Amino acid sequence: MKLLTRYMPLAVTLLACAFLLVPTLQSVLAGITANYFRGLSSGLTLKWVGEVWGLYADSILLSIWLALACLAVTLLIGVPAAYALARAPGRLSRVLEEFISLPLAIPGLALALALLQLYGAQQGFRAHWSFILVGHVLYTLPFMVRAVQAVLAAIDLKTLEEGAASLGAPPWRRFVDIVVPNALPGILAGSLTVVTLSIGEFNLTWMLHTPLLKTLPVGLADSYASMRLEIASAYTLVFFVMIVPLLMAMQWATARAQRILS
Amino acid sequence: MTLTLTCVAKTYGSGPRALHPTDLRIETGEILSLLGPSGCGKTTLLRLIAGLEEADPGAEIRFGDEDVTHLPVERRHIGMVFQSYALFPNMSVRDNIGYGLRMQRLPRAEIRSRVEEVIALCRLEPYADRAITALSGGQRQRVALARAFAPRPRIMLLDEPLSALDAALRLALRDELAALLRSFGTTVIFVTHDQDEALAISDRVAVMEAGQIRQIGTPEELYRAPRSPFVAEFVGHAMPLAGARRVGGLHLAGGILPLPAEAGPGPVYVRAEDLRLDPHGPLRACVDSVTFLGTHYRLGLSALTDQRLYALHHGQSAPRVGEAVTLSIAPEALICLPL
């Protein structure tokens, strides 16, 4: 009985881990197995990973490009927006904040549909990568604003700025010298979140993409649907290699920002 | 730099006036403190001078010959020390001190030599390359002072610069701050709610209450010749002697106090240190409480007036609670206020 109570939690934990890890490992293994239907005895190979690169290099590069562009836009809009919200905490600011956060509550599909209705007729824009970018920015902006705003709310921004002003700093210098450096932990956490979400985003992108503009997750769906299992699995492997380091960096940056908040 | 304020007032939104129209002139090199309880408008007045708040229409603020009423804070060339110091956590001590000089776009070499000079003046050499977070409260206070002073401001403004420190440190730093401010030689305006601080540091003190300057004068003037009950009570904790004016002097519950001939008809006040135990004194009181404070005893006295009074007693022993004592007050120690 005593033995049971001691080892029960461990057993449950291990089972839960196995439940999550076994399919993942299986999928990864499938991606480097020469012939999945004959099993591991057929030998290990990187051939399928090579095939993925050959077939989907464009998707991988497009995703990276979109993530970076999305990051640039959310930084440009999100940091000043968070600053403005932190400087004027009032009812209007809270309403605006909710408004910015709205895309979090609305399903990506609905958001995509709205974008298609609004801009679908403009052929040049519709078929351009910037159309997907608009969707990604809408979806990731609240994460940037929230992350920066939380850090800004934790420091006595008003007095720091008054201090800089008393020393002769005009408003833009105060923003560059005081606000941005002190918000950096939040900006870093927000940036990693935005890049990770943008690379992994599927719902919106699936609706917005054109056959010539497939992002990493859209390509993954495509490979599942139309390629042999080994290629799809190798694709998953590529996806993991890209997203896992980002996720880890995001965790680290968020923990770092949290330390400053406390 | 002389500072001249004419009809400076401030109203926040549609609320009551935080500062009633105020005129004030401060001479070059003078150290003036604004003393008063919280909410008296002293910080508002300081922020108006700094340019961090905009005065109500009709005000005029002049630094020397220049009208700065409508200049924003960053163009007033002031040095300000904030209550929380507002040091930039993203910069080292050295960079904090150099920030104002960088804003003036001085040549690099000049900034460096000026920063070193101020660091030496404020004795911050051992901490110059530290992060702000690695400093103690007293060190932060000196960095804030050095940072405000480095760009050679026309006027230094200090908002309760000692209140963030603990009591023991505050006393030690008070004299150090006074000496540093003297060595700077600039005009200084200093906000505090602590009368000891105001008396110790300033050339003149402006006592404020309810958005108005009640009295302005040297520390000695304010202490010895207050002109209103508020100033008498706030500076030096004078206590009212409530009684009837009749033949022979002031008739109190505990006896008749002879008044000096020149005393006017106004209220009479006395300080605890001037109320003396005297076997031949004209006043009688009952000891309510005895508090031993090291250098002296503090006696609570009832039955002298209808209010409890305090007397400071220097001596090896003190009367016991419940004992009756006789007291006297030297005529020159009485504070006779105008009506």
PDB file of all heavy atoms in Angstrom, chain A residues 36-58:
ATOM      1  N   TYR A  36       9.230   3.238 -44.111  1.00  0.00           N
ATOM      2  CA  TYR A  36       8.466   3.163 -42.883  1.00  0.00           C
ATOM      3  C   TYR A  36       7.716   1.850 -42.771  1.00  0.00           C
ATOM      4  O   TYR A  36       7.583   1.289 -41.691  1.00  0.00           O
ATOM      5  CB  TYR A  36       7.491   4.332 -42.814  1.00  0.00           C
ATOM      6  CG  TYR A  36       6.726   4.375 -41.516  1.00  0.00           C
ATOM      7  CD1 TYR A  36       7.397   4.651 -40.310  1.00  0.00           C
ATOM      8  CD2 TYR A  36       5.364   4.126 -41.476  1.00  0.00           C
ATOM      9  CE1 TYR A  36       6.702   4.682 -39.120  1.00  0.00           C
ATOM     10  CE2 TYR A  36       4.668   4.161 -40.287  1.00  0.00           C
ATOM     11  CZ  TYR A  36       5.342   4.447 -39.111  1.00  0.00           C
ATOM     12  OH  TYR A  36       4.661   4.465 -37.941  1.00  0.00           O
ATOM     13  N   PHE A  37       7.247   1.316 -43.908  1.00  0.00           N
ATOM     14  CA  PHE A  37       6.407   0.119 -43.847  1.00  0.00           C
ATOM     15  C   PHE A  37       7.218  -1.126 -43.563  1.00  0.00           C
ATOM     16  O   PHE A  37       6.714  -2.092 -43.043  1.00  0.00           O
ATOM     17  CB  PHE A  37       5.591  -0.010 -45.143  1.00  0.00           C
ATOM     18  CG  PHE A  37       4.684   1.164 -45.321  1.00  0.00           C
ATOM     19  CD1 PHE A  37       5.016   2.223 -46.157  1.00  0.00           C
ATOM     20  CD2 PHE A  37       3.505   1.239 -44.571  1.00  0.00           C
ATOM     21  CE1 PHE A  37       4.194   3.314 -46.276  1.00  0.00           C
ATOM     22  CE2 PHE A  37       2.685   2.335 -44.693  1.00  0.00           C
ATOM     23  CZ  PHE A  37       3.018   3.381 -45.539  1.00  0.00           C
ATOM     24  N   ARG A  38       8.520  -1.043 -43.837  1.00  0.00           N
ATOM     25  CA  ARG A  38       9.380  -2.175 -43.472  1.00  0.00           C
ATOM     26  C   ARG A  38      10.011  -1.947 -42.103  1.00  0.00           C
ATOM     27  O   ARG A  38      10.682  -2.825 -41.582  1.00  0.00           O
ATOM     28  CB  ARG A  38      10.452  -2.388 -44.543  1.00  0.00           C
ATOM     29  CG  ARG A  38       9.903  -3.170 -45.732  1.00  0.00           C
ATOM     30  CD  ARG A  38      10.880  -3.288 -46.867  1.00  0.00           C
ATOM     31  NE  ARG A  38      12.249  -3.536 -46.385  1.00  0.00           N
ATOM     32  CZ  ARG A  38      13.330  -3.064 -46.995  1.00  0.00           C
ATOM     33  NH1 ARG A  38      13.225  -2.314 -48.077  1.00  0.00           N
ATOM     34  NH2 ARG A  38      14.523  -3.346 -46.518  1.00  0.00           N
ATOM     35  N   GLY A  39       9.848  -0.755 -41.560  1.00  0.00           N
ATOM     36  CA  GLY A  39      10.336  -0.496 -40.204  1.00  0.00           C
ATOM     37  C   GLY A  39      11.785  -0.056 -40.177  1.00  0.00           C
ATOM     38  O   GLY A  39      12.410   0.170 -41.222  1.00  0.00           O
ATOM     39  N   LEU A  40      12.323   0.021 -38.959  1.00  0.00           N
ATOM     40  CA  LEU A  40      13.675   0.522 -38.768  1.00  0.00           C
ATOM     41  C   LEU A  40      14.729  -0.372 -39.424  1.00  0.00           C
ATOM     42  O   LEU A  40      15.834   0.071 -39.716  1.00  0.00           O
ATOM     43  CB  LEU A  40      13.981   0.632 -37.271  1.00  0.00           C
ATOM     44  CG  LEU A  40      13.454   1.891 -36.585  1.00  0.00           C
ATOM     45  CD1 LEU A  40      13.770   1.853 -35.098  1.00  0.00           C
ATOM     46  CD2 LEU A  40      14.038   3.139 -37.222  1.00  0.00           C
ATOM     47  N   SER A  41      14.354  -1.673 -39.658  1.00  0.00           N
ATOM     48  CA  SER A  41      15.321  -2.608 -40.243  1.00  0.00           C
ATOM     49  C   SER A  41      15.734  -2.149 -41.633  1.00  0.00           C
ATOM     50  O   SER A  41      16.792  -2.547 -42.130  1.00  0.00           O
ATOM     51  CB  SER A  41      14.704  -4.001 -40.311  1.00  0.00           C
ATOM     52  OG  SER A  41      13.501  -3.933 -41.061  1.00  0.00           O
ATOM     53  N   SER A  42      14.924  -1.290 -42.249  1.00  0.00           N
ATOM     54  CA  SER A  42      15.286  -0.803 -43.579  1.00  0.00           C
ATOM     55  C   SER A  42      16.408   0.224 -43.518  1.00  0.00           C
ATOM     56  O   SER A  42      16.908   0.668 -44.544  1.00  0.00           O
ATOM     57  CB  SER A  42      14.058  -0.202 -44.267  1.00  0.00           C
ATOM     58  OG  SER A  42      13.605   0.915 -43.514  1.00  0.00           O
ATOM     59  N   GLY A  43      16.767   0.639 -42.321  1.00  0.00           N
ATOM     60  CA  GLY A  43      17.907   1.558 -42.167  1.00  0.00           C
ATOM     61  C   GLY A  43      17.482   3.000 -41.997  1.00  0.00           C
ATOM     62  O   GLY A  43      16.334   3.366 -42.257  1.00  0.00           O
ATOM     63  N   LEU A  44      18.428   3.829 -41.509  1.00  0.00           N
ATOM     64  CA  LEU A  44      18.150   5.261 -41.298  1.00  0.00           C
ATOM     65  C   LEU A  44      18.715   6.063 -42.458  1.00  0.00           C
ATOM     66  O   LEU A  44      19.742   5.705 -43.024  1.00  0.00           O
ATOM     67  CB  LEU A  44      18.780   5.724 -39.982  1.00  0.00           C
ATOM     68  CG  LEU A  44      18.228   5.061 -38.715  1.00  0.00           C
ATOM     69  CD1 LEU A  44      18.980   5.549 -37.483  1.00  0.00           C
ATOM     70  CD2 LEU A  44      16.728   5.303 -38.575  1.00  0.00           C
ATOM     71  N   THR A  45      18.023   7.159 -42.783  1.00  0.00           N
ATOM     72  CA  THR A  45      18.486   7.976 -43.897  1.00  0.00           C
ATOM     73  C   THR A  45      18.065   9.432 -43.714  1.00  0.00           C
ATOM     74  O   THR A  45      17.082   9.715 -43.040  1.00  0.00           O
ATOM     75  CB  THR A  45      17.912   7.441 -45.227  1.00  0.00           C
ATOM     76  OG1 THR A  45      18.310   8.346 -46.264  1.00  0.00           O
ATOM     77  CG2 THR A  45      16.397   7.393 -45.199  1.00  0.00           C
ATOM     78  N   LEU A  46      18.817  10.323 -44.333  1.00  0.00           N
ATOM     79  CA  LEU A  46      18.430  11.744 -44.323  1.00  0.00           C
ATOM     80  C   LEU A  46      17.819  12.124 -45.668  1.00  0.00           C
ATOM     81  O   LEU A  46      17.569  13.291 -45.944  1.00  0.00           O
ATOM     82  CB  LEU A  46      19.648  12.627 -44.022  1.00  0.00           C
ATOM     83  CG  LEU A  46      20.079  12.661 -42.546  1.00  0.00           C
ATOM     84  CD1 LEU A  46      21.337  13.476 -42.375  1.00  0.00           C
ATOM     85  CD2 LEU A  46      18.954  13.209 -41.659  1.00  0.00           C
ATOM     86  N   LYS A  47      17.572  11.110 -46.484  1.00  0.00           N
ATOM     87  CA  LYS A  47      17.057  11.350 -47.825  1.00  0.00           C
ATOM     88  C   LYS A  47      15.765  12.156 -47.794  1.00  0.00           C
ATOM     89  O   LYS A  47      15.571  13.101 -48.556  1.00  0.00           O
ATOM     90  CB  LYS A  47      16.835  10.002 -48.515  1.00  0.00           C
ATOM     91  CG  LYS A  47      16.436  10.123 -49.970  1.00  0.00           C
ATOM     92  CD  LYS A  47      16.281   8.770 -50.615  1.00  0.00           C
ATOM     93  CE  LYS A  47      14.830   8.339 -50.572  1.00  0.00           C
ATOM     94  NZ  LYS A  47      14.597   6.993 -51.136  1.00  0.00           N
ATOM     95  N   TRP A  48      14.874  11.766 -46.876  1.00  0.00           N
ATOM     96  CA  TRP A  48      13.542  12.405 -46.830  1.00  0.00           C
ATOM     97  C   TRP A  48      13.647  13.873 -46.401  1.00  0.00           C
ATOM     98  O   TRP A  48      12.931  14.714 -46.915  1.00  0.00           O
ATOM     99  CB  TRP A  48      12.607  11.657 -45.871  1.00  0.00           C
ATOM    100  CG  TRP A  48      12.498  10.186 -46.193  1.00  0.00           C
ATOM    101  CD1 TRP A  48      12.783   9.158 -45.372  1.00  0.00           C
ATOM    102  CD2 TRP A  48      12.091   9.621 -47.431  1.00  0.00           C
ATOM    103  NE1 TRP A  48      12.587   7.952 -45.997  1.00  0.00           N
ATOM    104  CE2 TRP A  48      12.161   8.224 -47.276  1.00  0.00           C
ATOM    105  CE3 TRP A  48      11.691  10.139 -48.665  1.00  0.00           C
ATOM    106  CZ2 TRP A  48      11.828   7.339 -48.283  1.00  0.00           C
ATOM    107  CZ3 TRP A  48      11.363   9.256 -49.667  1.00  0.00           C
ATOM    108  CH2 TRP A  48      11.441   7.872 -49.473  1.00  0.00           C
ATOM    109  N   VAL A  49      14.596  14.119 -45.470  1.00  0.00           N
ATOM    110  CA  VAL A  49      14.798  15.512 -45.066  1.00  0.00           C
ATOM    111  C   VAL A  49      15.255  16.329 -46.276  1.00  0.00           C
ATOM    112  O   VAL A  49      14.788  17.453 -46.514  1.00  0.00           O
ATOM    113  CB  VAL A  49      15.828  15.593 -43.917  1.00  0.00           C
ATOM    114  CG1 VAL A  49      16.093  17.052 -43.531  1.00  0.00           C
ATOM    115  CG2 VAL A  49      15.340  14.817 -42.696  1.00  0.00           C
ATOM    116  N   GLY A  50      16.138  15.702 -47.071  1.00  0.00           N
ATOM    117  CA  GLY A  50      16.599  16.370 -48.288  1.00  0.00           C
ATOM    118  C   GLY A  50      15.458  16.646 -49.242  1.00  0.00           C
ATOM    119  O   GLY A  50      15.361  17.712 -49.846  1.00  0.00           O
ATOM    120  N   GLU A  51      14.563  15.640 -49.360  1.00  0.00           N
ATOM    121  CA  GLU A  51      13.400  15.794 -50.256  1.00  0.00           C
ATOM    122  C   GLU A  51      12.526  16.966 -49.806  1.00  0.00           C
ATOM    123  O   GLU A  51      12.028  17.746 -50.611  1.00  0.00           O
ATOM    124  CB  GLU A  51      12.559  14.514 -50.264  1.00  0.00           C
ATOM    125  CG  GLU A  51      13.245  13.355 -50.930  1.00  0.00           C
ATOM    126  CD  GLU A  51      12.561  12.958 -52.242  1.00  0.00           C
ATOM    127  OE1 GLU A  51      11.408  13.405 -52.442  1.00  0.00           O
ATOM    128  OE2 GLU A  51      13.182  12.234 -53.043  1.00  0.00           O
ATOM    129  N   VAL A  52      12.347  17.043 -48.458  1.00  0.00           N
ATOM    130  CA  VAL A  52      11.526  18.130 -47.908  1.00  0.00           C
ATOM    131  C   VAL A  52      12.129  19.464 -48.321  1.00  0.00           C
ATOM    132  O   VAL A  52      11.424  20.372 -48.759  1.00  0.00           O
ATOM    133  CB  VAL A  52      11.430  18.022 -46.374  1.00  0.00           C
ATOM    134  CG1 VAL A  52      10.843  19.292 -45.777  1.00  0.00           C
ATOM    135  CG2 VAL A  52      10.595  16.825 -45.980  1.00  0.00           C
ATOM    136  N   TRP A  53      13.449  19.563 -48.155  1.00  0.00           N
ATOM    137  CA  TRP A  53      14.112  20.825 -48.521  1.00  0.00           C
ATOM    138  C   TRP A  53      13.879  21.134 -49.998  1.00  0.00           C
ATOM    139  O   TRP A  53      13.560  22.257 -50.366  1.00  0.00           O
ATOM    140  CB  TRP A  53      15.600  20.744 -48.203  1.00  0.00           C
ATOM    141  CG  TRP A  53      16.293  22.029 -48.523  1.00  0.00           C
ATOM    142  CD1 TRP A  53      17.108  22.262 -49.585  1.00  0.00           C
ATOM    143  CD2 TRP A  53      16.184  23.258 -47.814  1.00  0.00           C
ATOM    144  NE1 TRP A  53      17.516  23.563 -49.588  1.00  0.00           N
ATOM    145  CE2 TRP A  53      16.967  24.199 -48.505  1.00  0.00           C
ATOM    146  CE3 TRP A  53      15.499  23.651 -46.677  1.00  0.00           C
ATOM    147  CZ2 TRP A  53      17.085  25.522 -48.087  1.00  0.00           C
ATOM    148  CZ3 TRP A  53      15.624  24.953 -46.256  1.00  0.00           C
ATOM    149  CH2 TRP A  53      16.412  25.889 -46.953  1.00  0.00           C
ATOM    150  N   GLY A  54      14.015  20.087 -50.831  1.00  0.00           N
ATOM    151  CA  GLY A  54      13.818  20.273 -52.264  1.00  0.00           C
ATOM    152  C   GLY A  54      12.414  20.742 -52.582  1.00  0.00           C
ATOM    153  O   GLY A  54      12.202  21.634 -53.407  1.00  0.00           O
ATOM    154  N   LEU A  55      11.419  20.142 -51.910  1.00  0.00           N
ATOM    155  CA  LEU A  55      10.020  20.435 -52.229  1.00  0.00           C
ATOM    156  C   LEU A  55       9.520  21.703 -51.555  1.00  0.00           C
ATOM    157  O   LEU A  55       8.709  22.434 -52.119  1.00  0.00           O
ATOM    158  CB  LEU A  55       9.136  19.254 -51.782  1.00  0.00           C
ATOM    159  CG  LEU A  55       9.194  17.991 -52.636  1.00  0.00           C
ATOM    160  CD1 LEU A  55       8.592  16.817 -51.876  1.00  0.00           C
ATOM    161  CD2 LEU A  55       8.454  18.210 -53.957  1.00  0.00           C
ATOM    162  N   TYR A  56       9.992  21.932 -50.309  1.00  0.00           N
ATOM    163  CA  TYR A  56       9.346  22.974 -49.520  1.00  0.00           C
ATOM    164  C   TYR A  56      10.289  24.085 -49.052  1.00  0.00           C
ATOM    165  O   TYR A  56       9.956  24.858 -48.154  1.00  0.00           O
ATOM    166  CB  TYR A  56       8.652  22.372 -48.288  1.00  0.00           C
ATOM    167  CG  TYR A  56       7.496  21.470 -48.660  1.00  0.00           C
ATOM    168  CD1 TYR A  56       7.610  20.100 -48.599  1.00  0.00           C
ATOM    169  CD2 TYR A  56       6.281  22.032 -49.081  1.00  0.00           C
ATOM    170  CE1 TYR A  56       6.560  19.279 -48.952  1.00  0.00           C
ATOM    171  CE2 TYR A  56       5.228  21.219 -49.446  1.00  0.00           C
ATOM    172  CZ  TYR A  56       5.363  19.839 -49.372  1.00  0.00           C
ATOM    173  OH  TYR A  56       4.321  19.047 -49.718  1.00  0.00           O
ATOM    174  N   ALA A  57      11.486  24.194 -49.642  1.00  0.00           N
ATOM    175  CA  ALA A  57      12.430  25.238 -49.227  1.00  0.00           C
ATOM    176  C   ALA A  57      11.762  26.612 -49.276  1.00  0.00           C
ATOM    177  O   ALA A  57      11.958  27.445 -48.389  1.00  0.00           O
ATOM    178  CB  ALA A  57      13.662  25.215 -50.119  1.00  0.00           C
ATOM    179  N   ASP A  58      10.937  26.819 -50.311  1.00  0.00           N
ATOM    180  CA  ASP A  58      10.257  28.110 -50.454  1.00  0.00           C
ATOM    181  C   ASP A  58       9.384  28.411 -49.247  1.00  0.00           C
ATOM    182  O   ASP A  58       9.354  29.523 -48.743  1.00  0.00           O
ATOM    183  CB  ASP A  58       9.359  28.101 -51.702  1.00  0.00           C
ATOM    184  CG  ASP A  58      10.196  28.251 -52.951  1.00  0.00           C
ATOM    185  OD1 ASP A  58      11.419  28.487 -52.803  1.00  0.00           O
ATOM    186  OD2 ASP A  58       9.631  28.126 -54.058  1.00  0.00           O
TER     187      ASP A  58
END
